Amino acid sequence: MTIVAGGVAPKKRQRVGSNSRFPSTLAVIDSSRPDDSLNEVSHKPFGPRRSSSYSLIPASSSSSSSAGGFNDASTADVVLRLYVENSSPFLSDDSESISAVDQADVQIYLHSGVLRRSRYFSALLSDRWHKESCPTDDVVVSSPVIYRFNLGVSATYGSIDYHLTVLQLLYTNDFSDVVDTASTALSLLPVALELLFEDCVRACVRFLEAVPWTEDEEKKVLGLVPFLSDEESQELLARVSPGKIDSSEEMLHGLIMSAIHNHPNTAFAKAFVAKLLRDFSSKESARRVLDRAFETSLKIVKESLEEYSSPDFRGDHNETEAIQRLNLHTAMTNGRHLLWLVERMIELRVADTAVEEWSDQASFTADLQRAFRDDAWRNIVPGLPAVVLRCTCKLANAVATGNILAARQVRMKLVKDWLPVLIICKENVSHMMSSHKSLYQELEETFLRIISTLPMSDAQELLQQCLSFSTRNVDDCPHLVTAFTTWFRRANRSLPAESLRQ
């Protein structure tokens, strides 16, 4: 059976006995020629010329007792003919002059003692030995036995070349000079499996375990795994097979948490993780990971603001002040992380859960209002209001533009809970943070657009709270004028009686 690397990995197959890994074209013992025919073709030993990718292994004696080296016709007792399976079965007289890479027929001289390192050849030689070891009484065995085998190989580029290399490796115990790249190991491993050459199989597998693979090489490894034993394939599979079902999500979550909390170059790490999220194959997995990280960061921000807004004054004043500063810094730091997560969720269109969570924060928004009415935060975390409102603005804008399709109750609560925070920021913060006025106006416009999607009664209640959006010059707040004009137009519209029936 010829093994082709790559493709879908078939069911695990075991290499057992002497017949489970034979080539598709079995070696044929040729007894039609007289034994002295060897002398007719061996006076000029064939020296296969190799491609530039593989150099000849220096002729060396095997570790067995057999004398002679690879392709040594003077001592060989095995004549092996390698041929491409779709080529002519006849040996060409001038085949010796054709490059081993391109030629379809090669004859080489080997030694049975060495070939027995391959369980495939060991089985062939054992069968032949049984026949030759039981001569009849009238037959006298006076000449050495010459074994002639034909071995068909697949018609793929380099197939004969790889077979020649593996056959040469039978003559050495050191494979390191040949098995020196993943590509080489992947080319030789199918042949070693085919010939049941276990030492070569182990050498190729051990090399593949230790070196990196390209994507194409990884596919070939997976294609060969079914032909390896469980022990041989264990390390290879460990590299590409997750230990548990949700390992990808755990890895991605760990990267997110590391990027936003632990990495010294936070900006670079966040940019890299953002790319991983964009390229992640499963949108639902990315959603779950981001939801989990969002929930963690939001919890920290909420707890920090809650502790700041309701401090415990039983301790030392200086200690209490230090704790308050720490609470504000913690809220600010995790607020930035929260903003980055919101941006990623909106980019991937997976912010549904975040919008629902953000719209159900009556207690959190109450703590923010208490905190921003106090002046203590101004010299500690002056950018905190902007961070919180940017999160709100991005989520609200995703709802207003249809990026996130939120239910009516979610839309209403989003505006109802966060509108007071915006008003407090405008009243207590804007005179210190004039650069944030554009943020406030953008959030005003977004809230008014969301209000326009609500029923008239809900819109009436919320619009009354938006009077703080008005400015000294009415022309400077066209968004507010438009919102009220729209509401009154709808309120004064006369509808057919049947349309008003409940």
Side-chain angles (χ1 to χ4, degrees), residues 173-204:
N173 290 319
D174 183 6
F175 302 96
S176 59
D177 289 339
V178 175
V179 185
D180 57 357
T181 66
S183 177
T184 300
L186 287 169
S187 298
L188 300 184
L189 182 54
V191 181
L193 289 167
E194 178 185 326
L195 300 181
L196 296 172
F197 184 8
E198 301 298 340
D199 290 341
C200 187
V201 170
R202 282 191 292 271
C204 292

Side-chain angles (χ1 to χ4, degrees), residues 186-260:
L186 287 169
S187 298
L188 300 184
L189 182 54
V191 181
L193 289 167
E194 178 185 326
L195 300 181
L196 296 172
F197 184 8
E198 301 298 340
D199 290 341
C200 187
V201 170
R202 282 191 292 271
C204 292
V205 170
R206 190 178 303 114
F207 188 89
L208 290 171
E209 289 174 354
V211 300
W213 310 326
T214 64
E215 184 176 355
D216 183 60
E217 288 168 348
E218 182 171 314
K219 292 178 181 178
K220 292 180 179 179
V221 169
L222 292 175
L224 289 170
V225 160
F227 300 99
L228 300 171
S229 68
D230 291 339
E231 182 180 357
E232 290 167 338
S233 62
Q234 182 178 4
E235 290 297 323
L236 301 178
L237 285 176
R239 186 188 301 194
V240 297
S241 301
K244 50 186 178 180
I245 297 176
D246 59 350
S247 60
S248 293
E249 293 185 16
E250 288 296 326
M251 177 65 165
L252 195 56
H253 181 263
L255 289 172
I256 289 174
M257 301 309 289
S258 178
I260 64 179

Side-chain angles (χ1 to χ4, degrees), residues 128-193:
R128 178 66 171 178
W129 180 83
H130 282 301
K131 295 178 183 179
E132 295 291 340
S133 63
C134 301
T136 59
D137 294 339
D138 57 345
V139 175
V140 178
V141 180
S142 58
S143 59
V145 177
I146 302 297
Y147 303 101
R148 301 183 183 277
F149 300 144
N150 294 328
L151 180 61
V153 303
S154 62
T156 57
Y157 180 82
S159 182
I160 284 185
D161 195 55
Y162 303 142
H163 277 75
L164 286 172
T165 300
V166 172
L167 290 170
Q168 287 178 289
L169 288 173
L170 288 165
Y171 285 79
T172 182
N173 290 319
D174 183 6
F175 302 96
S176 59
D177 289 339
V178 175
V179 185
D180 57 357
T181 66
S183 177
T184 300
L186 287 169
S187 298
L188 300 184
L189 182 54
V191 181
L193 289 167

Side-chain angles (χ1 to χ4, degrees), residues 32 84 186 196 234 251 262 274 285 327 342 388 442-443 502:
S32 61
V84 175
L186 287 169
L196 296 172
Q234 182 178 4
M251 177 65 165
N262 303 323
S285 292
N327 287 331
V342 167
V388 174
E442 181 182 359
L443 188 52
Q502 299 295 327

Side-chain angles (χ1 to χ4, degrees), residues 77-355:
D77 61 348
V78 176
V79 180
L80 177 64
R81 172 175 166 262
L82 293 175
Y83 67 93
V84 175
E85 289 178 328
N86 62 355
S87 67
S88 171
F90 299 103
L91 183 63
S92 173
D93 292 337
D94 59 350
S95 62
E96 299 169 355
S97 64
I98 305 176
S99 171
V101 176
D102 301 319
Q103 68 182 8
D105 206 314
V106 177
Q107 181 171 289
I108 52 176
Y109 301 91
L110 305 169
H111 303 80
S112 58
V114 177
L115 289 181
R116 291 181 193 279
R117 293 183 69 188
S118 157
R119 289 193 290 125
Y120 167 68
F121 284 113
S122 180
L124 288 180
L125 291 166
S126 296
D127 292 340
R128 178 66 171 178
W129 180 83
H130 282 301
K131 295 178 183 179
E132 295 291 340
S133 63
C134 301
T136 59
D137 294 339
D138 57 345
V139 175
V140 178
V141 180
S142 58
S143 59
V145 177
I146 302 297
Y147 303 101
R148 301 183 183 277
F149 300 144
N150 294 328
L151 180 61
V153 303
S154 62
T156 57
Y157 180 82
S159 182
I160 284 185
D161 195 55
Y162 303 142
H163 277 75
L164 286 172
T165 300
V166 172
L167 290 170
Q168 287 178 289
L169 288 173
L170 288 165
Y171 285 79
T172 182
N173 290 319
D174 183 6
F175 302 96
S176 59
D177 289 339
V178 175
V179 185
D180 57 357
T181 66
S183 177
T184 300
L186 287 169
S187 298
L188 300 184
L189 182 54
V191 181
L193 289 167
E194 178 185 326
L195 300 181
L196 296 172
F197 184 8
E198 301 298 340
D199 290 341
C200 187
V201 170
R202 282 191 292 271
C204 292
V205 170
R206 190 178 303 114
F207 188 89
L208 290 171
E209 289 174 354
V211 300
W213 310 326
T214 64
E215 184 176 355
D216 183 60
E217 288 168 348
E218 182 171 314
K219 292 178 181 178
K220 292 180 179 179
V221 169
L222 292 175
L224 289 170
V225 160
F227 300 99
L228 300 171
S229 68
D230 291 339
E231 182 180 357
E232 290 167 338
S233 62
Q234 182 178 4
E235 290 297 323
L236 301 178
L237 285 176
R239 186 188 301 194
V240 297
S241 301
K244 50 186 178 180
I245 297 176
D246 59 350
S247 60
S248 293
E249 293 185 16
E250 288 296 326
M251 177 65 165
L252 195 56
H253 181 263
L255 289 172
I256 289 174
M257 301 309 289
S258 178
I260 64 179
H261 288 294
N262 303 323
H263 203 278
N265 295 321
T266 302
F268 297 154
K270 284 182 176 179
F272 181 77
V273 173
K275 174 174 172 53
L276 290 180
L277 286 167
R278 288 193 297 271
D279 297 340
F280 201 63
S281 58
S282 172
K283 184 177 180 179
E284 287 305 311
S285 292
R287 180 197 301 274
R288 288 191 291 269
V289 169
L290 287 168
D291 283 346
R292 180 179 167 190
F294 176 86
E295 182 179 351
T296 300
S297 294
L298 177 59
K299 181 180 179 181
I300 295 174
V301 175
K302 289 168 60 178
E303 290 176 349
S304 300
L305 262 297
E306 182 180 3
E307 292 180 12
Y308 175 80
S309 301
S310 304
D312 183 359
F313 292 105
R314 290 176 297 179
D316 179 79
H317 174 73
N318 293 332
E319 182 180 351
T320 301
E321 184 179 355
I323 293 175
Q324 292 294 78
R325 294 175 67 89
L326 178 61
N327 287 331
L328 286 176
H329 280 297
T330 301
M332 182 65 181
T333 300
N334 285 276
R336 289 197 183 103
H337 301 333
L338 204 60
L339 177 59
W340 182 82
L341 290 169
V342 167
E343 291 171 345
R344 302 288 74 73
M345 298 169 97
I346 293 174
E347 180 183 27
L348 298 178
R349 302 178 74 91
V350 294
D352 310 66
T353 304
V355 167

Side-chain angles (χ1 to χ4, degrees), residues 7 17 29 39 46 50 59 63 89 117 120 143 159 228 316 334 364 371 377 389 397 421 426 436:
I29 302 173
N39 296 328
F46 170 71
R50 311 307 306 278
S63 57
R117 293 183 69 188
Y120 167 68
S143 59
S159 182
L228 300 171
D316 179 79
N334 285 276
F364 178 39
W377 60 269
L389 290 183
N397 190 59
V421 178
K426 285 194 64 176
H436 295 156

